[in-house]
Amino acid sequence: MDAIGTGTSPSKSLHNHDPKRPGKTFLVHNRSGVHLPELDLESAMRRQEKYTHVPVKEEGVDIIDIKGIEDIGYVQQDSILLNALVPKENSQCRQGLYFQDGQRRVDYVLTYHIKKPSSSRRHSSRFTDNAFTRSLRRGRGPPPKGDPEVGTQEHSLHYHEDDKRFCQDEFEGNLIEMGLELEKDEHTKIPGVGFLKIHAPWHVLCREAEFMKLKMPTKKVYEVKQGSSLVEKINIFITKVTEPLHPNVEENRIQNVKHLSYPFSREKQHLFDLSDRDSFFDSKTRSSIVFEVLKRTKCTKSKHSMGITSLLANGVYMAAYPLHDGDIDGENADPNDRKLLYEEWASYSVFYKYQPIGLIRKYFGEKIGLYFAWLGVYTQMLIPASLVGVIVFLYGCATVDEDIPSMEICDKRNNITMCPLCDRACSYWKLITACGTARASHLFDNPATVFFSIFMALWAAMFMEHWKRRQMRLNYIWDLTGFEDEEVRQLDHPRAEYEFRVMQKALKKEHKAQKPEKVKLTCKDRLPAYMTNLVMMLFMIGVTFAIVFGVIVYRISTTSALYMSSNPTTRSNAQLTVKTTAAIINLVVILILDEVYGAVARWLTILEVPKTDKSFEERLIFKTFILKFVNAFTPIIYIAFFRGRLVGRPGSYLYVFESYRMEECAHGGCLMELCIQLSITMLGKQLIQNNLFEIGIPKLKKLIRYIKSKQGAFQEEEQDKKLQRYETDHFLEPFAGLTPEYMEMIIQFGFVTLFVASFPLAPLFALLNNIIEIRLDAKKFVAELRRPIAARAKDIGIWYNILRGISKVAVIINAFVISFTSDFIPRLVYQYMYSPDGSMHGFVNHTLSYFNVSDFQEGKDPLEPMYLEYRVEICRYKDYREPPWSLTPYEISKEFWTVLAVRLAFVIVFQNVVMLMSDVVDWLIPDIPKDISLQIHKEKILMVELFMKEEQGKMQTLDSKDSCNSHSPVPRPHSTPNSHTSNY
């Protein structure tokens, strides 16, 4: 181990160095862990002096920059560091959570390549030449001369390694100047990988906490009231009833008292309980503080300023991550928050329990805590929606035998002959053969679905309001009420790609000998990227439309082929076969394109070169959502609103490629086909993409990473040794952000709300999926991923606006589904305008038009006209058209225009009424719960009182000092009476 910046003198560290001992501690080192030559050693020591030397000017008392004082005080730990030269065999060191002294906790880890002795050529060749390394070479001068027998390429490649080592040395020195303490481990069980462990001492934590405006609990506590006495009693009763549903963690218990929080300040340390400094800043806060220092620390000697993001992007460091708290299983695993999360959250045996949101926030930070809180609220709200959806479905099952239109279709006495479904290959058929489809359609196409659509629109509004209230409650509990996005913007540093582009632009300006000025990327610089984005987005959407069109052609051609079959079973099941296989093909295409579109959206966002991570994330979310939404819902929108509408009529059909006739809906309507497509797509995406991919891909990547590091590297005795914590976490999958997690839930929310009129069971399937999804995500975050950086956030950001937009669009789409896709409006019009007795008897006959078979186009009539064993002269088809014997044969009838007018009127009325009801719900439910509003107001008053008491205490102290000075004899110089006033 190499301990850097620990306060020990170089001579002590070097004399205690033993190259054979893996736990060595020395100040001057090279990457392979071997002593440097004397000349290099002396120069290296001189370079190192600037990292540990404390200037005289810093020895004064300075409240803002107290680094010098803290460094002087830290030299007293010399004896501890000398003892650390012989590694202690305690459990903390073995687990890799602490430095070699067993006292300083590892807050962050950077990994880097180290050259293997036997394969230096192969190791060097892995790094390619790029503009970054070329700029470094220009800053450092020509490469050193070496053995003339060695090729030029080897010189160049080794020089690239020297560039990286040079940047590492400078960056690590700057980290030491920032007050961080470093320790290296290059003798790990993972060959070719070195680990730089980082510890933030107390003074750095205090300094950065003040800079980041972190709210910390003060000594002042106050009682938290739940509201009125009645509300409090109801809450206590509900808590007792639901006690078995709560996880067994301390953070989830209702607290009657709460610490008053205040942004940390070094001048007001007396306000905070600092009796236990080791636990005052938890591991999540410590790692976020160190990450903030890493982002702010620059590597400037390479001519251009670069932070940790640029160093990672250019391969100077391989990875950067905080450590997990410990192991999650095993007999010797110490109790820790990670293990508790695994047992009380990530286990399938606790699927019925609430999530330990407080502990999730404590371990992962507010941003991830808010995601799981939102997912919990969404899943909880799906329970009433699922119950109502099941009731609507059961109502359809119970009333299917009472549905008059389906009874008429299934009645054998109605000898209705239908026109062929395709040209030539298809023949005439009996309407009774559509009996099964008609009965199945009633399960989803009945008056209850209208009520369910209205209910789901109001449900979406209530869900949004419930989440806003829950979010405000969490903001209060987590002390985020005064947190503003401006604070995040202050800490949001430029991304690596942005810095690199700015560096390139600056180099061009220097080359043109232009006057030096502050360089930044303008819209003109990004114009090619914007044009590429527009063209590629339109192209990707066009690809989706083309694939949907291809599936349409598949359905048309396969239907004709199956009807040509001599097997009667094949011909009778042709429609069902085509519908199911087409839906499966659509699912497979959607799954493939989802991955492609995700990669394309990321590539397009990188082309734009956003300045900050927040801007990058928002642009990526927008592109990904547009592409994936279009990909998932285009086939469904086609079936709901276009299929069966662009068909034509017998004798004058519309054709694709002059040979394929546009497909029609079955007699029961397109709603049944819409239901099949929706269910297969939704269930397939949830089972395959959301669950199997989430489990399988991280495990596969982890296995590949482990196998790569193991090939020809581990010795047998090394395999049996327990890996350190930082080595174990190295094999875990890096955290890629919350965008994929939110995206799959947003698409699911679209399935639940947008076409719920055609599939009332969608909320039930979403609920069952989410119960598993929560535990899958929990296990992934706890056991499969590296620990994410704890990020502060007070809301779910742009996702809330997307949810709100989907819920508004859902009202319009469901209005059109009920009006145009289902038979609800035609039945209503017939019953109240055309039915002779006000019932539904005769509805089927009313919706069928007549066609004279002699009017078929040449070559389009059936090949088997006697398929029904009698000659057909008149056949029927579903449409509102005049009969062949009228004055205007086959023209659109007045019934069509009547039904269309009622359909449009229904859309307008439904949309406005439901949106008005949603707005009323929004207005009735306040965004901030009353008790939380009172508690926030109480906190402000208590904070004012606290500072007033502090000021009064200061005034009393000053008064007491003045009184003591007035009573104590003070020798006065001999002077005139006016001499005192003359001093002023």
Side-chain angles (χ1 to χ4, degrees), residues 680-748:
I680 290 178
T681 304
M682 182 180 179
L683 295 177
K685 277 181 67 68
Q686 290 181 350
L687 290 175
I688 298 173
Q689 190 177 44
N690 298 359
N691 296 335
L692 293 181
F693 283 7
E694 282 194 11
I695 299 173
I697 290 178
K699 285 185 177 294
L700 185 63
K701 288 182 178 179
K702 181 181 176 182
L703 179 64
I704 292 171
R705 197 180 295 111
Y706 181 76
I707 291 172
K708 280 183 177 179
S709 66
K710 188 176 177 181
Q711 286 175 349
F714 281 116
Q715 302 294 329
E716 290 297 326
E717 62 271 12
E718 298 256 335
Q719 293 182 30
D720 298 332
K721 293 181 183 178
K722 181 177 175 62
L723 292 174
Q724 300 278 10
R725 177 79 266 149
Y726 49 86
E727 295 172 321
T728 306
D729 287 2
H730 176 74
F731 289 113
L732 298 179
E733 180 73 10
F735 176 63
L738 288 171
T739 300
E741 313 299 332
Y742 273 114
M743 189 62 66
E744 64 186 60
M745 288 296 106
I746 294 295
I747 297 297
Q748 186 201 83

Side-chain angles (χ1 to χ4, degrees), residues 222-442:
Y222 66 95
E223 185 180 0
V224 178
K225 292 186 178 181
Q226 303 296 325
S228 63
S229 57
L230 178 62
V231 174
E232 195 169 350
K233 288 179 181 178
I234 293 173
N235 288 336
I236 292 171
F237 174 75
I238 293 174
T239 303
K240 287 182 178 179
V241 171
T242 59
E243 183 66 29
L245 301 179
H246 289 277
N248 188 24
V249 296
E250 188 67 30
E251 284 77 9
N252 249 54
R253 294 189 175 92
I254 296 176
Q255 303 292 335
N256 295 323
V257 293
K258 185 178 184 293
H259 283 271
L260 194 64
S261 295
Y262 184 73
F264 187 82
S265 172
R266 287 173 290 179
E267 292 181 345
K268 300 184 183 296
Q269 288 192 26
H270 59 277
L271 297 176
F272 306 95
D273 184 8
L274 303 179
S275 56
D276 185 5
R277 290 188 173 188
D278 292 335
S279 62
F280 183 73
F281 294 108
D282 56 18
S283 60
K284 173 254 303 181
T285 307
R286 295 176 69 97
S287 63
S288 62
I289 286 174
V290 173
F291 183 64
E292 184 60 34
V293 176
L294 289 173
K295 287 196 297 184
R296 206 169 65 245
T297 304
K298 300 295 182 181
C299 178
T300 56
K301 286 190 177 179
S302 60
K303 196 176 183 180
H304 295 283
S305 174
M306 293 185 298
I308 185 62
T309 52
S310 295
L311 296 176
L312 287 169
N314 288 283
V316 177
Y317 290 101
M318 295 167 56
Y321 52 89
L323 297 182
H324 280 291
D325 276 358
D327 294 328
I328 55 177
D329 51 11
E331 297 178 359
N332 300 324
D334 296 328
N336 58 75
D337 288 342
R338 187 189 184 199
K339 185 178 181 182
L340 188 59
L341 281 171
Y342 190 78
E343 294 170 351
E344 295 293 333
W345 181 45
S347 174
Y348 291 109
S349 60
V350 294
F351 74 91
Y352 60 92
K353 289 187 177 183
Y354 293 111
Q355 298 182 88
I357 296 298
L359 186 59
I360 296 169
R361 175 254 180 178
K362 178 185 175 185
Y363 193 77
F364 292 111
E366 287 80 6
K367 193 170 185 178
I368 293 176
L370 280 173
Y371 163 70
F372 282 104
W374 173 82
L375 183 56
V377 169
Y378 172 48
T379 304
Q380 196 175 5
M381 288 293 291
L382 282 172
I383 296 174
S386 302
L387 290 175
V388 177
V390 170
I391 291 171
V392 168
F393 179 74
L394 293 177
Y395 170 80
C397 294
T399 58
V400 67
D401 292 330
E402 302 173 5
D403 182 48
I404 296 175
S406 59
M407 289 170 61
E408 289 183 347
I409 292 173
C410 298
D411 192 353
K412 295 181 179 179
R413 293 172 296 179
N414 290 334
N415 191 23
I416 299 177
T417 303
M418 303 297 294
C419 296
L421 295 173
C422 63
D423 291 341
R424 304 298 285 169
C426 305
S427 187
Y428 305 106
W429 56 285
K430 290 289 188 181
L431 183 59
I432 194 173
T433 57
C435 175
T437 306
R439 289 174 63 87
S441 296
H442 179 73

